[in-house]
Amino acid sequence: MAPFRNLPDATVLTDPDALEPYRHDESHVLGVLPLAVVRPRGPAALKELVRLAKAEGFALVPRGAGTGKAGGCLPTGQRAVVVDFSAWPGELRVSPQDLSLSAPASALLRDVKAAAAAQGFFYPPDPNSWESCALGGTLATNAGGPNACKYGMTRHWVLSVEALLEDGEIHTFGISSVKANAGPALGQLLIGSEGIFGFIVGATLRLTPMPREYTTLLLPVKRWQDLLDLPGRLCGAGYLPSAFEFFDPAVLSELRAHGPEEARRLPGEAMAILEFDERGCTSEPFLEGLLDLLGPVAEGLEVASDERQRQGIWAVRRMTSAFLKERHPKKVSEDIVVPRSRLGEFFAGLERLGIPSVSYGHLGDGNLHVNLLAAGETEPALLERQLMDLFRLSMSLGGTLSGEHGIGLAKRDAFLALSDPGQIQTLRAIKQALDPQGIFNPGKVI
Ligand code: MLT
Ligand code: ZN
């Protein structure tokens, strides 16, 4: 394609068959066919791409490994070029003295976590796609995961970011230390911005010593509402799980009936997985204290006896999203949040509104994957109403419409309709200041 003929240091794809996969990510939305896909291998390619985008009036859409859940990396509009960062160069470097790790956007999250672990350190962010997603995508979307319950989200683990801005140059924001207070943290503005202000090409991440012990518990319950006050009760009593996941009765029975071997023996009407990773969590006093606190709810509690059993429990949890998608290919999966103190009210509200849904996910931090399994067979206007009701309910309880997947394309209309207009105006003013020609991922988020 003519404008890309002289692009330095990059691979360019223009064959429609090669472009087709770039219309998809792991959300339920579909992008348009881009003009081209460019895989830059250095700053010169990005500089020229920015110049061309401004001169020729096309949009640049960033893409990591394409595992996003909100359509943030999908091309929209008539003229979009996907910038696929999979070939972006750079090494993983751990600095034990600084408790940090630097990596390019192209690094796979699993390799980042493994590089940290090889030196006895832990990088906690663990979205469900952690074995296949790219670090850059997790930074652009501020990815979460089960460990966010104790460790927070991606943004809490970033010391500095390197990002392409609209001058065509790569700038660094932040330093390799947790203490840095020279003015507002512009790097934090880029994290979770889904590429609308600029593209993150690398980062220095914060590490923490690797936990040395885990207690992993399966907690089946007879009345599933009994789970709902547990996250708040545990935290209130000083127990902070590193993960607290749950399956409601409908998800649990689908898993039991049609899931893999490990899922067939899962007990209970509903079930939670709790994990603790602090020093002493495998000791008897810790477990006794926990049992006391749980009271009668702990009746069927099972403790993973070894690492193999622990991994088996997690394997079932990790495959839940893909399993439901396989059985209900047109389902819509949301990721609303409510404060954990309002979980009971949330599920009562969901029932009152009659939204036909099943739920599982990160109960410990109130981030729930509410799945509308029949979305494909639901009349579009009705589906829209059900989703808006769901978002309004979460917001009315002090929550929000996305806890970890982001807004992207999938939730943009709802985000614009339901947010404080002052927030949207502020975001648009920042966008205008940082990207006056609107080349970076237009049509997403705002
Ligand atoms: C998960 O936690 O399994 C995913 O974030 C959920 C999803 O795919 O919707
Ligand atoms: Zn999740």
Side-chain angles (χ1 to χ4, degrees), residues 42-51 54 60 88 163-171 434 439-440:
L46 291 182
K47 193 175 173 79
E48 179 60 5
L49 261 181
V50 167
R51 192 192 68 74
K54 288 178 176 171
L60 300 176
W88 188 255
L164 170 74
L165 297 189
E166 74 87 46
D167 60 359
E169 303 291 338
I170 291 170
H171 300 265
L434 295 180
I439 59 169
F440 290 131

Side-chain angles (χ1 to χ4, degrees), residues 272-348:
I273 301 170
L274 276 100
E275 188 158 275
F276 295 88
D277 68 358
E278 68 253 42
R279 199 165 282 203
C281 69
T282 50
S283 69
E284 262 179 39
F286 181 93
L287 278 172
E288 275 162 17
L290 188 62
L291 285 177
D292 272 359
L293 184 74
L294 293 174
V297 165
E299 212 177 285
L301 190 79
E302 292 180 25
V303 185
S305 55
D306 55 25
E307 184 59 20
R308 199 185 53 80
Q309 250 188 34
R310 172 177 177 246
Q311 292 303 342
I313 292 172
W314 278 112
V316 173
R317 168 59 186 90
R318 292 283 182 193
M319 52 75 68
T320 304
S321 169
F323 163 77
L324 288 177
K325 179 109 188 153
E326 213 175 286
R327 293 191 37 82
H328 308 274
K330 298 205 170 131
K331 79 177 174 109
V332 169
S333 172
E334 293 300 343
D335 70 313
I336 61 89
V337 192
V338 291
R340 48 185 162 234
S341 55
R342 320 268 325 245
L343 285 164
E345 288 169 81
F346 173 77
F347 282 105

Side-chain angles (χ1 to χ4, degrees), residues 69 128 317 321 331 333-334 360 362 369 371 404-405:
K69 304 268 189 192
N128 203 44
R317 168 59 186 90
S321 169
K331 79 177 174 109
S333 172
E334 293 300 343
Y360 70 96
H362 318 291
H369 294 310
N371 277 240
E404 58 179 10
H405 297 165

Side-chain angles (χ1 to χ4, degrees), residues 413-432:
D413 290 347
F415 181 63
L416 294 177
L418 300 176
S419 300
D420 172 352
Q423 182 190 350
I424 302 296
Q425 259 171 34
T426 307
L427 287 172
R428 287 187 171 156
I430 297 170
K431 169 82 173 162
Q432 179 62 27

Side-chain angles (χ1 to χ4, degrees), residues 13 39 46 76 103 135 200 219 245 254 362 378 388 408 441:
L13 312 178
R39 293 195 187 125
L46 291 182
T76 54
L135 175 66
I200 297 174
L219 180 61
E245 301 289 307
E254 280 231 27
H362 318 291
T378 306
M388 290 300 268
N441 214 9

